[in-house]
Amino acid sequence: MANRLYGEDGMRELDQRAMALPGLGDGALMERAGEALLQALTDAHPEARRVGVLCGPGNNGGDGFVLARLAAAAGLEVVVHAGAPGPRNDSDGERARQAWTGTGGAIEPLETFAPEGAEVWVDCLFGIGLRRPIEGIHAEVIDSLNGSGRPVLAADVPSGINIDTGAVLGVAARATRTLTMIADKLGLHTGAAVDHSGRVRVAGLGLPPDIHADVPWLASRAGAEGLPYPLPPRRPGAHKGDCGHLMVVGGAPGYSGAARLAAVAGLRAGAGRVTLVTHPEHAAFANLERPELMVRAVSAARELQTLLSGADAVAVGPGLGQASWGRALWQVVADWSGPLVADADALNLLALAPRRRPDWVLTPHPGEAARLLGSKASAVNADRPESLRGLADRFGGVVLLKGAGTLVSGGPEDRPVCITGGHPGMATAGMGDALTGIIGALLAQGMDTGPAAAAAAAWHVAAAQHAAQRLEGERGMLAGDVIAALPASAGGLS
């Protein structure tokens, strides 16, 4: 349950179950949320003496009023900005508001908000139920807060984030930390939300584990802390023939690097043998610095058909191009019956002539996903979970939708896996090629498509974190650094 990511429907069910527990009605659960916020605030900013709280009209605002009262009682100087009271005088949020003013607490209007009025701000404006874009004074306040550089702790969810999709509803608070209540949410970890959530921590609020039973959840979470599926085991007497033969097909003239990166990643990810099938123009030089790599020059599709008979899995697309050479090779690979991962130009060629098969892994970034769906990248990013479903329904197999908070279809209980823990150092050329090689290597070692894609993506993130630690920074990290870190980062993941 710790790795489950919920959406609005599941969280509403959990909230109702929690408030129905003995002793947690009539605002008691909100008191726990306020206590958790105060603890998170003081843990992250022990030096802060003046705290600001932005409160909205619902229960999220109620959490803020509880926090304000508790923080003032603890000796902190507290400034609260809020709009008009909500429509229900008997709601938990309104009672929390009255308890704050009943202790002498002041409420300043949102119109007078000034970020410099506090050392750190707590965003309690809007929670999980927001369905329309934020506008008016609330948008002005959030824009001012985002531009201030002040640290922000978001209560449950940064205001303006859709917890089902990670999309921004008009404008969203940019938090440095998010303390999310009861359970984690998918929308905090994928898409645009990754730039707004900061460091996410879950406050369980002392609820019993069985409260989660049978509550719908949207995805599972995996990353550098552990793979969603174990890597293929190896017996002590294993030899290279037991570890699979991966064939990487790509590298049109002028694009040899992408295919070579994928092939080397396949070696580092444990394939017993890797053959790079590439264009004759550069085949003789492809393994000069990596002699463990086998290279075959192919100028015609019929030559590839012969080579495929010896492969356990194929990775196709990096540097393939869309000219006649790449198109011919793609047709041969697409008709091949073994485990297959398709990336880059293979996906662009697939978009031109769609087909469906149940046993491949497709790894589009949002632009490629848009071409496959006949849509736009902005539409893909607006609802990444729905785009993932659309791709899987149309093309079959397993789909890995790249981007911040990569999503992989076909996870546990047929729900997606959301890969967390990536960092900006991965935003450089060749990272997707490396991931393709890792997936291909795991397929060659006998993993099924879903586990191979999810485990590869999590391992990719773990290696990127390991590489950043070794380099003592993220900026300037190369795909080759991540590939080199694959063996060391696998130790704690198997």
Side-chain angles (χ1 to χ4, degrees):
M1 290 185 295
N3 291 327
R4 290 182 180 179
L5 299 174
Y6 292 82
E8 183 178 349
D9 290 345
M11 288 311 307
R12 291 199 181 282
E13 176 67 21
L14 287 172
D15 285 342
Q16 291 174 4
R17 292 186 182 190
M19 288 187 286
L21 293 172
L24 288 184
D26 297 326
L29 187 66
M30 189 171 285
E31 286 290 318
R32 290 192 183 185
E35 292 168 359
L37 284 169
L38 178 59
Q39 186 64 57
L41 182 67
T42 54
D43 285 349
H45 304 282
E47 75 293 341
R49 305 311 306 160
R50 184 171 174 82
V51 175
V53 186
L54 298 171
C55 294
N59 284 345
N60 203 243
D63 293 344
F65 287 120
V66 173
L67 165 64
R69 175 169 50 80
L70 297 176
L76 297 175
E77 188 178 352
V78 181
V79 57
V80 174
H81 288 268
R88 289 184 51 195
N89 292 329
D90 61 341
S91 69
D92 289 345
E94 184 56 29
R95 283 194 291 266
R97 182 188 185 108
Q98 294 166 3
W100 164 243
T101 57
T103 61
I107 300 177
E108 305 295 335
L110 291 172
E111 287 77 6
T112 64
F113 168 72
E116 59 271 19
E119 299 165 74
V120 57
W121 287 92
V122 183
D123 165 31
C124 300
L125 287 172
F126 298 103
I128 65 173
L130 188 67
R131 293 184 177 85
R132 56 182 176 80
I134 295 178
E135 54 189 18
I137 185 59
H138 292 104
E140 293 175 18
V141 167
I142 290 173
D143 281 338
S144 180
L145 180 63
N146 288 347
S148 70
R150 289 289 199 274
V152 177
L153 171 65
D156 201 29
V157 56
S159 293
I161 293 297
N162 183 306
I163 68 163
D164 286 353
T165 67
V168 171
L169 296 170
V171 64
R174 196 175 294 271
T176 46
R177 295 172 184 268
T178 296
L179 185 71
T180 195
M181 306 301 173
I182 302 179
D184 210 348
K185 287 87 175 167
L186 173 60
L188 296 177
H189 299 286
T190 192
V194 174
D195 287 333
H196 293 264
S197 301
R199 182 177 299 177
V200 178
R201 187 164 67 83
V202 178
L205 305 184
L207 301 177
D210 60 4
I211 196 174
H212 297 266
D214 301 322
V215 176
W217 44 287
L218 297 182
S220 59
R221 178 181 176 181
E225 68 280 357
L227 299 185
Y229 303 93
L231 297 178
R234 291 190 174 184
R235 57 184 177 81
H239 57 81
K240 65 181 181 183
D242 297 327
C243 301
H245 181 192
L246 170 65
M247 190 165 291
V248 176
V249 180
Y255 298 96
S256 61
R260 186 181 180 280
L261 283 170
V264 175
L267 285 172
R268 289 294 190 190
R273 294 177 294 159
V274 176
T275 297
L276 172 58
V277 176
T278 194
H279 195 276
E281 181 177 289
H282 49 253
F285 313 105
N287 65 350
L288 287 181
E289 295 180 359
R290 185 58 65 200
E292 302 92 341
L293 187 64
M294 297 183 290
V295 181
R296 295 291 183 269
V298 167
S299 52
R302 62 180 180 276
E303 300 171 50
L304 177 58
Q305 289 175 327
T306 302
L307 292 172
L308 284 174
S309 62
D312 294 305
V314 171
V316 59
L320 185 67
Q322 300 181 54
S324 57
W325 181 82
R327 290 199 306 270
L329 268 58
W330 162 244
Q331 289 298 326
V332 173
V333 173
D335 289 336
W336 185 63
S337 60
L340 169 65
V341 52
D343 184 30
D345 280 321
L347 299 175
N348 293 326
L349 292 168
L350 176 62
L352 295 175
R355 59 193 297 168
R356 178 185 173 89
R357 57 183 283 180
D359 57 347
W360 58 10
V361 179
L362 308 180
T363 63
H365 58 56
E368 292 159 345
R371 287 189 282 277
L372 289 166
L373 292 171
S375 179
K376 295 182 179 180
S378 58
V380 171
N381 284 325
D383 194 339
R384 287 170 56 81
E386 180 60 32
S387 298
L388 185 78
R389 285 189 290 270
L391 289 164
D393 288 345
R394 184 172 187 184
F395 296 98
V398 170
V399 177
L400 185 152
L401 180 57
K402 298 174 186 173
T406 288
L407 297 177
V408 185
S409 67
E413 299 185 37
D414 202 30
R415 290 177 173 86
V417 179
C418 180
I419 308 299
T420 62
H423 58 71
M426 301 174 74
T428 188
M431 287 292 173
D433 305 316
L435 176 58
T436 297
I438 301 169
I439 296 171
L442 295 182
L443 292 174
Q445 292 171 75
M447 289 187 76
D448 291 336
T449 49
W459 191 4
H460 189 234
V461 164
Q465 290 191 6
H466 188 279
Q469 292 171 0
R470 184 182 65 81
L471 296 169
E472 299 183 359
E474 299 171 356
R475 192 181 299 270
M477 189 175 70
L478 305 179
D481 298 321
V482 173
I483 292 170
L486 286 168
S489 58
L493 298 176
S494 303

